[in-house]
Amino acid sequence: MARFRGRGMASVNYPIGMNLGGDPSQALIHSNPDGKFTVALSAIDLGQGMKQVTRQVAAETLGVPIEDVYVDTADSDTGPHDMGSFASRGTHRMGNAVIAAAREARGVLLEAAAEELEVNAADLVTDGKGNIHVKGAPSRSITVRATAQAAQFKQGKTIAGRGIFLIPLSSVDPETGEMNPNTAFAHACLVADVEVDDETGEVTVLGMNSAYELGRVINPKMVEQQLVGGAWMGISHALYETPEPYYPNPDHGPRDFNEYLMPGPGDIAPYSIAILERPAPDGPFGGKGPGEMCANPVLPAIANAVYNAVGVRVNDLPITPEKILRGIRANGGAKPQARRGGAL
Amino acid sequence: MAKVPVQFRLNGSDRAAFADPADNLLTVLRRGLNDFGPKYGCGQGTCGTCSVLVDGELRLACLTLAASCEGASIETVSGMADGPNLHPLQQAFMEHFAAQCGFCTPGMLTAAKALLARNPNPSRDEIIDGIAGNICRCTGYEPIIAAIESVARGAAAGQRR
C-alpha cells in the first residue's frame, strides 16, 4: 500500500453575468444634508465585498472621500431593481450602474456648487477630500457639505442620480446558432498537486498554483481574499461536500454540520496566485470580478490530479475515498499516469 | 416552566435576567441582555460562532445552560474593545482582512483570545488547533491564522523588550 502523487491542471474562460431575458442592475444615489452620499442597491453583499467595491466606485466617480459614501443594500422591496448577486456579475453590472448614478449625482452637485460660487459648473473640479473648487483656482472653493446644505435648504435641489446598466437580451440566430450572451470574460489557469492513498482512498491537497486574469482589480486585498477562500470552497466541492452522496438516492445525506463535511483551518494547503489585470473595456474602471471563478478550475484540476496519481477517473463529485477505492479495484490496482514537467 | 433569575458578570458589568431553566446562555445573552456579539450559527456546537469565555474558559454559548453560569464572569466579543480602542486581535483582524462575510468573526476572535491567554506564543499548528472548533464558510482561514500569528509575535516581541 502506498501514497501516490499526482498533478492536474485546468483552465477556464469565465463569462461575467448572464443573459436570461436581459441582465439589468439599477442604482440610486442621493446626498444627505451633511454632504454624505447614500447608494441604494438591491443586490446583496454575501461576503464577497460588493458593498466595499461599489462604495469605492461611487466615491471615485462622485469625487468625494470614501468615508462619505454609505452603500445600503437593506431592502429589495424599496430599493431599485436588481437581478441579484450571482453569476459573478456584482462588480461588473452593479459597478457600472453605480458609475452611471454617481455621474448624474455629481452633475447636480457641481451645479449646486456653481450656484453658490457664482461660476460655471463646467469649470468646477472635486479634490476627493470633500471640496469643490474652480479649476486652477483652489481658493475659490466650497465644501461638499456646504453645497449639500445649500441645495437642501436654499436652492431646493435634490443632489441625486439614477443609474442602470443593462446587457440586453441576446437572442440566438436561428440560421447560425450565434448569440452574444456576454460582454466580459475572465480567465484562469490552476495547477493542483495531490497525494492519494491507495489503501484509504483519501486525497490530500499538497498545494495549488494559479494565475487569474480579472480585469482591473478594484480592491486587491479583497480579490486575494476571495480567490483564496473560493479555492478552498472548490477543494471542498471536489472532495468533501454533498447533500446527496448517493444521488439520486437521497439516503445517507448529511443532516447537520456534524455530517456535512466542510474544510476547517487545519485543512488548508499552500496556495499561490498570480493576478493579471487586463481591464475590460465595458467594466467599471475596467473591472470584471473574480466571483465563482475562484472555485471553478479547482474541481477539474483536482479530478485530473487524482487521475494522474492513481489512474482513476471520477466523473461525479465529490471525489470520495469510496469512489477512488472502487476505481482502483476496478483497474486492478493503482495505475499512476505519466507526468510531463518532472517530479512534484 | 417557571423562569429563574440568573446573575453573572457580563463584560465587567453585573447583569441579571430571568431565564427558563432550559435556556442556553446564547439565548439569554442575545434575547435577554441584548448582547448580539455572539452569533447563533448551528445551535448544536459545531460552528463555533457563539463562542464566549466563561470564567476565562472558552465555551459554546449554545450548549451552555444559562442557569449554570450563575455568579460566573462572562466575556463576549462585545467587550473586547476598550471603548474606542480595539483589542489587538480586532486590530490585527482588520489589518489582515480576516473577515469576509463576518459571521464567524465573533467566535474566531473569542477563540483566539482564549488561545493567547493560555499560550501567548503559539506555533502555527497551535493556532490552527485553537480555532479548529470554528467554521469559516468563506473559507478565509489563512488571513485569520495570519492575524492571530501577528498578535502572538507582537506580544512575544513586547515581552523580550
Side-chain angles (χ1 to χ4, degrees):
Chain A
M1 296 298 157
R3 288 167 167 266
F4 296 89
R5 290 192 167 193
R7 173 172 287 174
M9 68 163 272
S11 298
V12 53
N13 296 321
Y14 187 72
I16 300 297
M18 52 102 225
N19 196 272
L20 302 168
D23 191 7
S25 274
Q26 288 186 22
L28 296 173
I29 297 184
H30 72 272
S31 96
N32 304 306
D34 59 0
K36 300 191 188 227
F37 287 82
T38 302
V39 181
L41 299 172
S42 292
I44 299 302
D45 192 332
L46 308 164
Q48 77 276 47
M50 201 200 68
K51 269 186 155 176
Q52 173 63 20
V53 162
T54 48
R55 190 182 187 200
Q56 285 177 236
V57 165
E60 183 76 18
T61 310
L62 288 163
V64 303
I66 192 159
E67 297 78 21
D68 290 353
V69 176
Y70 174 71
V71 178
D72 179 17
T73 59
D75 190 344
S76 57
D77 274 352
T78 56
H81 177 260
D82 198 291
M83 294 298 279
S85 302
F86 59 89
S88 310
R89 64 192 289 287
T91 298
H92 191 268
R93 305 294 200 261
M94 294 147 213
N96 274 324
V98 168
I99 286 179
R103 280 194 183 131
E104 188 171 286
R106 179 184 164 90
V108 186
L109 174 72
L110 296 184
E111 276 168 30
E115 200 170 316
E116 291 307 296
L117 293 171
E118 298 180 344
V119 296
N120 191 329
D123 296 334
L124 291 175
V125 290
T126 46
D127 69 353
K129 295 171 187 155
N131 303 298
I132 301 165
H133 63 81
V134 176
K135 203 179 296 175
S139 60
R140 294 209 58 193
S141 77
I142 183 170
T143 62
V144 172
R145 182 193 178 115
T147 307
Q149 283 171 353
Q152 175 82 353
F153 295 106
K154 270 169 64 186
Q155 303 174 10
K157 256 194 195 116
T158 312
I159 300 180
R162 304 152 298 171
I164 184 162
F165 184 73
L166 169 65
I167 299 287
L169 172 66
S170 168
S171 304
V172 180
D173 185 313
E175 299 299 320
T176 63
E178 276 184 8
M179 67 182 297
N180 184 20
N182 282 288
T183 62
F185 277 82
H187 314 275
C189 181
L190 185 138
V191 179
D193 290 336
V194 304
E195 193 169 68
V196 182
D197 187 314
D198 71 345
E199 186 174 13
T200 66
E202 273 179 300
V203 178
T204 307
V205 179
L206 301 172
M208 298 194 299
N209 290 282
S210 72
Y212 273 83
E213 192 286 296
L214 304 161
R216 174 78 68 221
V217 169
I218 292 176
N219 188 309
K221 282 303 280 184
M222 294 185 94
V223 163
E224 181 191 321
Q225 203 183 31
Q226 198 170 9
L227 288 173
V228 172
W232 282 94
M233 285 207 177
I235 288 176
S236 196
H237 292 173
L239 298 176
Y240 311 133
E241 291 182 38
T242 177
E244 293 178 326
Y246 297 96
Y247 180 84
N249 182 339
D251 292 348
H252 307 294
R255 289 162 299 185
D256 55 35
F257 282 178
N258 287 314
E259 297 174 356
Y260 188 80
L261 293 178
M262 284 184 278
D267 296 318
I268 57 181
Y271 179 34
S272 20
I273 307 162
I275 293 171
L276 313 172
E277 295 181 84
R278 287 172 55 206
D282 71 340
F285 300 100
K288 300 174 193 169
E292 295 166 27
M293 195 177 59
C294 307
N296 293 345
V298 178
L299 287 78
I302 287 181
N304 288 338
V306 168
Y307 175 74
N308 188 238
V310 291
V312 174
R313 179 59 77 188
V314 180
N315 290 321
D316 55 325
L317 298 167
I319 303 168
T320 56
E322 178 183 341
K323 290 174 191 168
I324 290 175
L325 290 178
R326 287 185 192 281
I328 289 175
R329 185 190 286 176
N331 289 347
K335 299 267 191 289
Q337 303 295 303
R339 185 163 56 240
R340 284 174 292 176
L344 299 181
Chain B
M1 200 181 287
K3 299 215 172 206
V4 294
V6 184
Q7 295 184 58
F8 46 70
R9 276 185 92 69
L10 175 60
N11 297 321
S13 303
D14 286 323
R15 302 294 299 269
F18 284 101
D20 186 298
D23 275 348
N24 62 49
L25 178 59
L26 184 63
T27 302
V28 170
L29 288 174
R30 290 178 61 88
R31 295 199 192 149
L33 299 171
N34 289 340
D35 182 350
F36 297 107
K39 299 284 179 268
Y40 181 90
C42 63
Q44 60 179 102
T46 313
C47 75
T49 194
C50 68
S51 299
V52 299
L53 301 180
V54 178
D55 290 332
E57 191 184 322
L58 187 62
R59 293 272 282 273
L60 295 161
C62 75
L63 296 186
T64 302
L65 282 176
S68 74
C69 297
E70 177 69 32
S73 172
I74 292 164
E75 295 163 75
T76 71
V77 72
S78 314
M80 268 182 95
D82 178 12
N85 302 316
L86 294 181
H87 188 279
L89 278 164
Q90 292 173 312
Q91 192 65 38
F93 268 54
M94 266 176 61
E95 284 163 10
H96 287 81
F97 278 64
Q100 288 188 45
C101 82
F103 202 79
C104 75
T105 311
M108 289 287 183
L109 283 167
T110 307
K113 188 179 170 190
L115 168 71
L116 295 183
R118 67 174 186 271
N119 180 1
N121 196 12
S123 66
R124 184 185 162 90
D125 282 347
E126 286 168 334
I127 292 173
I128 288 172
D129 196 49
I131 57 168
N134 298 68
I135 291 172
C136 168
R137 197 49 178 133
C138 304
T139 346
Y141 296 111
E142 194 58 51
I144 294 171
I145 295 166
I148 300 169
E149 257 180 335
S150 79
V151 174
R153 275 199 305 273
Q159 280 163 5
R160 277 198 294 275
R161 268 199 296 273

